[in-house]
Amino acid sequence: MALSHSLGFPRIGRDRELKKALEAHWKGELDEAGLQAVGRQLRATHWQLQKEAGIDLLPVGDFAWYDQVLTHSLTFGVIPERFRPHSGKPTLGTLFGMARGVSQNTCCGGVHAQPASAQELTKWFDTNYHYLVPEFSVDQQFQLSCEQLFDEVAEARSLGHNVKPVIIGPLTYLWLGKAKGSEFDRLDLLERLLPVYGEILQRLATQGVEWVQIDEPILALDLPQVWKNAFERAYNILQREPGKKLIATYFGGLEDNLGLAASLPVDGLHIDLVRAPEQFPSILDRLPAYKVLSLGVVNGRNIWRNDLDSTLAILRQAHERLGERLWVAPSCSLLHSPVDLVREDKLDDELKSWLAFAVQKCEEVALLTTALNDPQNPAVHTALAKSRAVQASRAQSPRIHKPAVQARLAAISGADSQRQSPFVQRIEQQRARLQLPAFPTTTIGSFPQTASIRLARQSFKAGKLSAAEYTEAMHSEIRHAVQVQENLGLDVLVHGEAERNDMVEYFAEQLDGYAFTRFGWVQSYGSRCVKPAVIYGDLSRPHAMTVAWIGYAQALTQKVMKGMLTGPVTMLMWSFTRDDISREQQAQQLALAIRDEVLDLETAGIKIIQIDEAAFREGLPLRQAQWQGYLDWATQAFRLCASGVRDETQIHTHMCYSEFNDVIEAIAAMDADVITIETSRSDMELLQAFEAFDYPNDIGPGVYDIHSPRVPDTAEMTKLLRKAAQRIPVERLWVNPDCGLKTRGWAETEAALVNMVAAARQLRTELA
Ligand code: GLN
Ligand code: ZN
């Protein structure tokens, strides 16, 4: 009998109950007992949902109050000094302190003399989930410091469930962390770390647990040899501990780590066949005869129904070889998919029939397992027939396949991605036309999204505000933003993006080929969730999306108004994408739609157009060998949307992160006339990449950090600008904040911008 299992289930709740409870708790409106009750209820519901779906072995340990890596740190006693409780064991307060920082002088039941800043948050592999980076000190000690896992195992068993605890493996855990204080090799901590794993495995065995899932997703990365060696060392030690161990890998293929992963002395291996189907069938020959093989065949990262026939063909072949040593699973934890499609009451039946969320994915896993074990089961026939119908309708639907879009794609020529003249010639024309001073000042696009803006949008969506009233409310915001910018003396103005809920959703809502869910929330970090739009069909732009707003803003001022768009790569990265055509093709479709908007803006007299590519770098594949392929099509998509304009029209782009070394060549190849980037927190160190590469176009290195309400003074910004001027020729420098200002208030925004404009003026007299 093959067995079905789940690697992890979303914890946030189908109505985001966890989010609501957490936020109420942080506000002091829900006490800890109340919060614990919500957690218990969610866990019980989620186990029940998975069990009812037909999953044999349920995950425990996938629940986390904030983040599973943070829970792991607490469990192992990896608590930075600044958060360490003065007495006794860490509490939930300790955990939230590590996650959110401590501003009051009390936390964790003790008194803190100093506020403590939160641990760093960073992307979980190539997902949009973010984890809290463990901080290791050179003398790091590990001890079992939290009972959550054991309590939850007991809780699940008391509910009568057959469970498989999930823990992060020792190598992945060390890899994800950072050495703090002095420089040292995290791998040196391995020997100290392993005994705690031993303790955990022993405790779980005493609780009667048979299988433990140990997540080692870094096996899908390019690993240095010493890390590979450490895998062997670690698992040779851990094999002495009780319990059967399943090593779980996901988000990519094992490639050069396949032999290593297959031969580790554990009882089972999970691989991700969605992301790396080429691992099958060769894995069958590489796996030792005693091991369980778990095949991740249902996509845990997307929202499409599985093609059960083709999956079953693979599983049958595996089943013949492995028999009961075959397990069937989603590709990765379902943390990355929305909870339950049944909640969606606004999607039409056809579209809905194409989709599967976490609950439905569990049903697919269970069904596939039944199809192996009991092929005559009538449920199998019904499900396969339904799956065939879904595949057939998606293959033919005119809602998906649009001849006009495909014809446009087929007609793309090299010239479409090429500006008319090289940058050196364009910039002369642009300078002559724009007449800007040296060190031109601008902002990144958004101004404060105030409560009244959000209220107006809500009222409009609820039908309480007419279209005309809503437009007027937004116009009034634009007038205010323009007035403020004129008073400040900024050189290139923006309309402020008041009308935009979100930089992707705003555009997605206006494109054909996008759908929206009501409850398709996915956890991003802590209590934060995102509801990505769904690309389901060929994409096109039925009408202009921004021209009216930006045209309105331009008409209010003699100064140059910068038009503001989101780029194709960012649109793609922050959406659920199609699985029937490549990401590259989807990026091209988006690029053509945005290109039309760029040209409409140009026709409307807009002289500067910014195309944000906030997610350009985060699209980098996990394996370096795939980087160039990605960078090529991503760069091409940007060029395609930006290159239709005349030389005199200036194209800006914006990217809000800080590691450019890896991608500087691609950024130069995008050939934007101006790039604005985040640099202030690195003290302009990041410009090194641009200097070393001899980046040819204009740059606006952010001179102040918009993530903090602190208002920097002029001296601070002039200092940064002088540093920038040492690396970049002054005639190519722009002056702007690090990113958009939508999360800030007006008072701090104006105060900071006054100082920024003063800094630019000072630099003009000093250097220009
Ligand atoms: N134009 C957007 C803004 O100013 C850019 C945001 C981003 O890059 N994340 O908000
Ligand atoms: Zn940004």
Side-chain angles (χ1 to χ4, degrees):
M1 293 276 273
L3 179 141
S4 64
H5 74 126
S6 151
L7 268 57
F9 197 80
R11 53 184 79 114
I12 203 74
R14 57 179 165 190
D15 288 313
R16 286 179 296 158
E17 293 89 337
L18 183 59
K19 171 196 179 68
K20 291 167 194 167
L22 283 169
E23 289 172 1
H25 178 66
W26 295 334
K27 275 194 232 146
E29 291 161 6
L30 180 71
D31 64 8
E32 187 169 326
L35 182 62
Q36 292 284 3
V38 172
R40 216 166 22 247
Q41 183 59 53
L42 283 171
R43 290 190 293 272
T45 306
H46 296 159
W47 287 321
Q48 194 59 35
L49 280 170
Q50 294 172 85
K51 190 181 207 164
E52 280 166 10
I55 297 293
D56 297 320
L57 204 46
L58 305 177
V60 180
D62 53 345
F63 180 84
W65 290 110
Y66 201 95
D67 157 44
Q68 71 272 15
V69 181
L70 179 63
T71 306
H72 195 88
S73 291
L74 211 72
T75 304
F76 281 74
V78 182
I79 302 169
E81 182 71 49
R82 64 188 185 282
F83 300 111
R84 218 162 287 165
H86 293 249
S87 56
K89 294 232 163 192
T91 62
L92 214 47
T94 316
L95 179 120
F96 291 139
M98 290 160 76
R100 311 175 65 229
V102 180
S103 53
Q104 256 89 50
N105 57 359
T106 58
C107 99
C108 336
V111 173
H112 279 246
Q114 295 291 326
S117 55
Q119 286 185 207
E120 189 187 326
L121 201 61
T122 201
K123 260 171 84 73
W124 176 247
F125 297 85
D126 59 356
T127 71
N128 284 329
Y129 178 81
H130 299 77
Y131 72 93
L132 282 145
V133 179
E135 296 181 15
F136 301 125
S137 61
V138 63
D139 60 353
Q140 186 68 52
Q141 300 300 316
F142 301 95
Q143 66 260 346
L144 195 50
S145 307
C146 162
E147 294 286 308
Q148 189 177 328
L149 180 64
F150 313 114
D151 292 347
E152 287 174 10
V153 168
E155 190 178 295
R157 305 202 110 215
S158 77
L159 295 168
H161 297 313
N162 188 14
V163 296
K164 172 201 58 180
V166 180
I167 54 178
I168 298 168
L171 278 314
T172 292
Y173 181 59
L174 288 177
W175 180 272
L176 294 175
K178 266 194 181 161
K180 290 279 163 157
S182 44
E183 282 285 310
F184 64 93
D185 185 350
R186 290 161 358 263
L187 265 186
D188 293 343
L189 304 177
L190 183 61
E191 270 65 31
R192 266 179 264 164
L193 177 64
L194 290 176
V196 183
Y197 276 92
E199 222 179 307
I200 290 175
L201 292 169
Q202 286 164 28
R203 289 274 306 269
L204 292 172
T206 338
Q207 288 186 288
V209 161
E210 186 189 2
W211 279 94
V212 177
Q213 172 186 323
I214 304 179
D215 284 359
E216 291 285 14
I218 65 165
L219 283 165
L221 305 182
D222 299 317
L223 289 180
Q225 190 57 43
V226 286
W227 283 80
K228 299 186 190 191
N229 299 343
F231 262 98
E232 290 186 344
R233 216 159 71 233
Y235 284 91
N236 277 327
I237 292 174
L238 288 182
Q239 74 168 319
R240 293 179 219 136
E241 304 297 344
K244 293 185 183 162
K245 301 163 199 82
L246 174 83
I247 295 209
T249 67
Y250 39 81
F251 301 150
L254 292 168
E255 300 182 16
D256 55 325
N257 299 327
L258 176 65
L260 170 68
S263 65
L264 288 174
V266 292
D267 310 271
L269 175 67
H270 169 88
I271 59 171
D272 182 342
L273 283 192
V274 173
R275 285 296 282 275
E278 69 283 356
Q279 303 189 94
F280 190 86
S282 60
I283 182 71
L284 296 177
D285 298 323
R286 304 292 294 272
L287 196 79
Y290 65 89
K291 267 194 196 183
V292 158
L293 179 64
S294 164
L295 293 181
V297 288
V298 171
N299 194 345
R301 298 274 301 267
N302 213 325
I303 38 78
W304 301 108
R305 282 214 168 262
N306 192 277
D307 178 354
L308 296 178
D309 274 324
S310 56
T311 305
L312 205 48
I314 292 165
L315 289 176
R316 286 208 180 102
Q317 192 185 342
H319 197 221
E320 254 166 48
R321 289 274 292 270
L322 300 167
E324 63 181 10
R325 289 193 291 120
L326 174 65
W327 288 14
V328 184
S331 59
C332 60
S333 168
L334 297 170
L335 177 65
H336 311 291
S337 63
V339 183
D340 193 353
L341 183 68
V342 169
R343 300 283 286 115
E344 296 298 334
D345 47 7
K346 291 274 157 67
L347 290 176
D348 65 85
D349 289 344
E350 183 183 47
L351 188 56
K352 206 168 156 183
S353 77
W354 297 339
L355 303 179
F357 293 179
V359 172
Q360 291 70 38
K361 287 171 188 296
C362 288
E363 289 165 1
E364 291 179 328
V365 167
L367 193 284
L368 288 162
T369 313
T370 306
L372 297 174
N373 295 333
D374 180 13
Q376 300 314 323
N377 190 316
V380 172
H381 286 275
T382 321
L384 287 181
K386 206 171 148 192
S387 173
R388 273 169 217 141
V390 166
Q391 297 311 317
S393 104
R394 281 187 68 197
Q396 283 144 29
S397 169
R399 295 171 70 187
I400 298 181
H401 309 279
K402 308 263 174 69
V405 177
Q406 286 162 17
R408 255 192 105 179
L409 234 60
I412 295 172
S413 76
D416 293 333
S417 305
Q418 188 68 49
R419 295 285 298 265
Q420 284 161 12
S421 310
F423 172 76
V424 281
Q425 287 165 34
R426 295 189 316 255
I427 195 72
E428 288 312 319
Q429 297 186 46
Q430 293 163 16
R431 283 189 186 134
R433 184 183 192 209
L434 297 170
Q435 291 296 318
L436 298 171
F439 297 98
T441 53
T442 191
T443 60
I444 306 304
S446 58
F447 275 115
Q449 277 270 335
T450 57
S452 76
I453 295 177
R454 284 196 297 269
L455 185 69
R457 184 156 38 247
Q458 272 166 24
S459 308
F460 175 49
K461 284 201 167 163
K464 288 185 220 149
L465 216 59
S466 71
E469 287 165 331
Y470 177 69
T471 303
E472 173 45 29
M474 295 301 114
H475 279 175
S476 130
E477 294 295 338
I478 292 174
R479 287 195 297 274
H480 176 240
V482 169
Q483 190 61 58
V484 170
Q485 294 172 85
E486 289 202 325
N487 294 347
L488 287 165
L490 284 157
D491 301 305
V492 172
L493 310 195
V494 295
H495 79 295
E497 301 181 24
E499 79 287 4
R500 302 188 188 173
N501 37 357
D502 170 273
M503 65 187 284
V504 170
E505 198 178 28
Y506 176 77
F507 291 96
E509 279 174 348
Q510 302 188 71
L511 292 173
D512 265 357
Y514 260 108
F516 301 87
T517 65
R518 283 189 76 199
F519 304 98
W521 296 99
V522 179
Q523 189 177 18
S524 170
Y525 64 89
S527 67
R528 295 293 193 97
C529 300
V530 292
K531 190 158 65 65
V534 178
I535 302 178
Y536 70 88
D538 288 339
L539 295 157
S540 59
R541 186 198 72 142
H543 46 71
M545 304 182 282
T546 64
V547 177
W549 299 118
I550 292 164
Y552 177 80
Q554 179 65 85
L556 296 171
T557 179
Q558 296 302 314
K559 294 221 164 157
V560 183
M561 181 61 56
K562 178 164 67 165
M564 204 60 57
L565 304 173
T566 300
V569 181
T570 302
M571 292 290 296
L572 189 74
M573 291 302 158
W574 292 348
S575 303
F576 280 123
T577 52
R578 285 169 69 175
D579 59 355
D580 57 335
I581 62 170
S582 68
R583 291 197 305 163
E584 172 175 2
Q585 284 169 295
Q586 293 171 75
Q588 283 183 329
Q589 295 181 359
L590 286 162
L592 288 175
I594 298 161
R595 179 187 174 98
D596 293 345
E597 188 72 16
V598 169
L599 291 173
D600 280 352
L601 284 170
E602 183 183 57
T603 307
I606 301 302
K607 298 178 183 137
I608 301 185
I609 299 160
Q610 177 172 313
I611 306 166
D612 291 325
E613 281 293 23
F616 187 85
R617 189 183 189 285
E618 68 177 61
L620 274 182
L622 295 172
R623 292 275 193 172
Q624 209 147 3
Q626 293 158 17
W627 280 15
Q628 200 52 51
Y630 162 75
L631 289 171
D632 287 346
W633 67 251
T635 305
Q636 206 53 32
F638 182 85
R639 292 178 64 116
L640 180 58
C641 79
S643 297
V645 291
R646 299 190 297 272
D647 284 346
E648 61 181 15
T649 299
Q650 188 166 70
I651 298 289
H652 288 212
T653 190
H654 167 72
M655 297 187 182
C656 37
Y657 38 76
S658 33
E659 295 138 54
F660 286 97
N661 292 293
D662 298 338
V663 290
I664 186 75
E665 217 167 308
I667 288 177
M670 286 165 70
D671 199 25
D673 298 306
V674 182
I675 182 170
T676 56
I677 54 174
E678 180 171 329
T679 36
S680 72
R681 275 182 296 181
S682 82
D683 212 25
M684 296 288 155
E685 287 304 314
L686 295 161
L687 285 180
Q688 249 169 352
F690 289 81
E691 183 188 26
F693 182 77
D694 215 354
Y695 180 80
N697 302 8
D698 282 16
I699 308 180
V703 292
Y704 84 87
D705 178 15
I706 58 90
H707 299 94
S708 144
R710 200 178 69 87
V711 173
D713 59 29
T714 301
E716 223 172 282
M717 292 191 267
T718 48
K719 199 168 140 224
L720 286 174
L721 281 170
R722 281 187 212 108
K723 278 195 173 176
Q726 284 165 10
R727 300 199 183 278
I728 310 290
V730 292
E731 66 278 10
R732 289 205 256 119
L733 271 178
W734 286 64
V735 179
N736 47 263
D738 269 342
C739 193
L741 296 157
K742 66 176 165 214
T743 57
R744 299 266 64 91
W746 270 109
E748 68 210 22
T749 293
E750 291 192 49
L753 291 177
V754 167
N755 295 347
M756 187 186 88
V757 170
R761 289 185 177 142
Q762 193 170 328
L763 265 284
R764 281 172 204 154
T765 49
E766 276 177 30
L767 293 175

